[in-house]
Amino acid sequence: MIVDLRSDTVTKPTPAMREAMMQAPVGDDVFGEDPSVIELEKKCASLLGMDAAVFCPSGTMTNQIGIKILTQPYDEVICHKGAHIYKYEGGGLAGNSLVSVRLLEGDRGRISVPEIEANINNVQDVHQPITSGVALENTVVREAGSYYTLDQIKTISDFARKRGLKMHLDGARFFNAIIETGDKAVDYGKHFDSISICLSKGLGAPVGSVLVCKKELEPKARRMRKAFGGGMRQAGFLAAAGTYALNNHITRLKEDHVRAAELGKALAKVSWVKSLMPVDTNIVIFSVTDKTTPEKILNNLAEHQIKAIKFGANEIRLVTHLDFDDAMLEKTIETFKKISA
Ligand SMILES: *Cc1c(COP(=O)(O)O)cnc(C)c1O
C-alpha cells in the first residue's frame, strides 16, 4: 500500500468520473462550442453567485489572469507574505502583470482591515506604486489550511470597495473552507471581482481550474487566457470531470478534514515532532526537533511507502485527499509510532 500525502493534487479520477469524462459531449472551446465547458462555466458562476466563468488549465493561470484583469502595469497588490500568487507562481505577477506586491504579516495567513489600511499607498505621491487590489487566499496553503469566515471576508471587501480596491480570491481550496464554516458558496461572489477555484485539488478532478468573475471582466479574461496559451480545444472531457467533482465531491471533503485532524493528533504525541500548526482543514504542517531533519523523517516514511514533502527549512507537510482512506490513515499513524528520529 503506497500512501501519498504530498498534495491533494495526486488523486486519480474515480471510475464514475472517468465514465462522465468519456460520455462528455465536446466541441472546440476556442470557438465557444464545447457544451461541457459551457455547462461547467455556468455551474461555477451560479454556484458562487457571479455571472461569468472561464475554464483554465491550472490554478496558477486562473490567479494570473485574475490579477492581470484587475490591475495596470506599475500597480501594487496587497496579499499575505506566504500567498501562493507571490510565493509559488514563478514570479508570474511580475512577468505577466508588471505589478509589485505588498506583503502582510497576517494572522495565520489571514490579513485584516487595519493591516490593509496601513499598507495602501498615497496615490498623490509619485514615488509610490498605485495600490489597486487585495488578494485573499482561502484556505491558506502556507498556514496549514487556515480559513476565513464569510463575515471576515465581508469586512475586508466592504473596506476595499470603499477605498476603490479590487478584490481577488485564490480559492484553490475554497470548498474546504466553506465545508468548515458552513457559509454558502453563493454568498461569496458579491465580495469579489474575481475568484479562482481549483478542480484538481480536493475535488479530485485530473486537470483544471475556473476563474469566476464579473460579467464585464469576462472578455478580458478570455483574451488573457488566449494570450497565456490557455485556450483549449475539446476541453469538455476535462470540464466534465470538473462538473462531476462539483456534483459529487464537495461534501466528502469533511472526511479529509477528519483524517487530517487524526494525523495531527498522532503527530502531537511523537518524540521527533517539535511543533504542529493547528489542523483546520486538510493540511498538516509540523516541524521536527533539532535531533533530526525533515529529510531523515521523510526517508524513514518513504521506507514504509509513505510520501510527504519538505515544506520550509525544518518543516514537513501532509495533505489528505480523496485517495487517502481509513486503512491508509491507520498505517500512517502506526508508522509515525514506529519510526524514530
Ligand atoms: C495549488 C494552488 C494553486 C494553483 O496551483 P496549480 O498547480 O497551478 O493548479 C493556487 N493557489 C493555491 C493556494 C494552491 O494551493
Side-chain angles (χ1 to χ4, degrees):
M1 181 198 293
I2 295 175
V3 179
D4 196 343
L5 291 164
R6 289 173 301 169
S7 174
D8 45 7
T9 54
V10 301
T11 56
K12 313 248 169 61
T14 61
M17 182 183 279
R18 284 170 198 254
E19 187 57 27
M21 294 170 76
M22 290 311 293
Q23 300 303 329
V26 297
D28 190 325
D29 184 50
V30 176
F31 292 137
E33 290 173 2
D34 190 303
S36 299
V37 172
I38 293 168
E39 184 190 350
L40 172 67
E41 291 177 342
K42 278 206 176 118
K43 185 177 180 66
C44 288
S46 72
L47 196 59
L48 292 178
M50 289 185 105
D51 39 26
V54 180
F55 181 49
C56 291
S58 73
T60 298
M61 190 181 284
T62 44
N63 278 332
Q64 291 297 318
I65 294 173
I67 301 298
K68 181 73 182 169
I69 64 179
L70 299 182
T71 59
Q72 294 296 322
Y74 306 103
D75 284 355
E76 188 161 272
V77 170
I78 293 176
C79 63
H80 176 246
K81 65 180 182 185
H84 196 280
I85 58 165
Y86 161 67
K87 228 177 140 84
Y88 300 110
E89 299 191 5
L93 293 193
N96 295 323
S97 293
L98 302 170
V99 296
S100 59
V101 282
R102 186 71 148 260
L103 303 175
L104 306 188
E105 211 41 51
D107 162 32
R108 297 192 57 229
R110 292 159 301 202
I111 60 178
S112 63
V113 167
E115 233 185 330
I116 294 167
E117 185 164 31
N119 284 281
I120 297 174
N121 293 331
N122 173 6
V123 277
Q124 308 305 330
D125 181 353
V126 295
H127 297 88
Q128 302 179 16
I130 295 172
T131 307
S132 61
V134 175
L136 304 182
E137 192 174 303
N138 201 19
T139 67
V140 184
V141 64
R142 197 67 197 79
E143 300 290 328
S146 59
Y147 54 81
Y148 292 88
T149 64
L150 186 64
D151 278 345
Q152 290 169 323
I153 282 179
K154 181 182 184 307
T155 305
I156 294 170
S157 171
D158 288 349
F159 169 78
R161 291 268 156 78
K162 242 186 289 165
R163 299 294 295 263
L165 305 178
K166 298 287 199 288
M167 288 284 292
H168 174 73
L169 176 66
D170 177 351
R173 297 187 181 82
F174 168 75
F175 294 103
N176 293 88
I178 64 166
I179 280 293
E180 285 303 316
T181 62
D183 294 320
K184 289 202 197 74
V186 73
D187 293 330
Y188 262 73
K190 58 178 172 288
H191 300 301
F192 292 95
D193 298 281
S194 57
I195 298 178
S196 157
I197 59 167
C198 284
L199 303 166
S200 63
K201 296 265 163 89
L203 293 178
V207 177
S209 285
V210 180
L211 185 71
V212 185
C213 65
K214 291 185 162 166
K215 192 76 189 161
E216 68 261 29
L217 293 169
E218 184 186 353
K220 197 166 177 203
R222 290 198 183 279
R223 173 165 285 276
M224 290 324 306
R225 181 181 67 172
K226 190 66 186 152
F228 289 167
M232 299 182 284
R233 301 297 178 171
Q234 285 73 31
F237 293 115
L238 301 174
T243 300
Y244 180 88
L246 290 168
N247 287 337
N248 296 281
H249 292 168
I250 293 180
T251 50
R252 66 149 305 284
L253 290 170
K254 184 72 193 174
E255 294 175 33
D256 297 344
H257 299 181
V258 170
R259 292 190 185 106
E262 290 297 321
L263 290 175
K265 259 197 263 170
L267 284 166
K269 294 184 208 144
V270 162
S271 67
W272 38 266
V273 171
K274 187 174 179 180
S275 64
L276 176 76
M277 286 186 186
V279 183
D280 288 343
T281 51
N282 71 328
I283 304 176
V284 182
I285 299 177
F286 62 94
S287 64
V288 301
T289 59
D290 303 337
K291 292 196 181 66
T292 186
T293 62
E295 287 81 1
K296 225 172 147 187
I297 299 298
L298 289 172
N299 282 339
N300 283 339
L301 289 171
E303 278 171 23
H304 293 85
Q305 278 81 50
I306 297 172
K307 299 182 192 181
I309 58 168
K310 187 173 160 175
F311 206 62
N314 207 32
E315 291 165 320
I316 290 174
R317 185 186 79 172
L318 313 169
V319 187
T320 59
H321 51 72
L322 184 60
D323 289 348
F324 177 71
D325 61 19
D326 281 334
M328 292 175 179
L329 173 68
E330 200 175 315
K331 171 184 161 145
T332 308
I333 289 174
E334 286 313 307
T335 308
F336 287 159
K337 291 181 193 158
K338 241 186 275 177
I339 64 177
S340 60

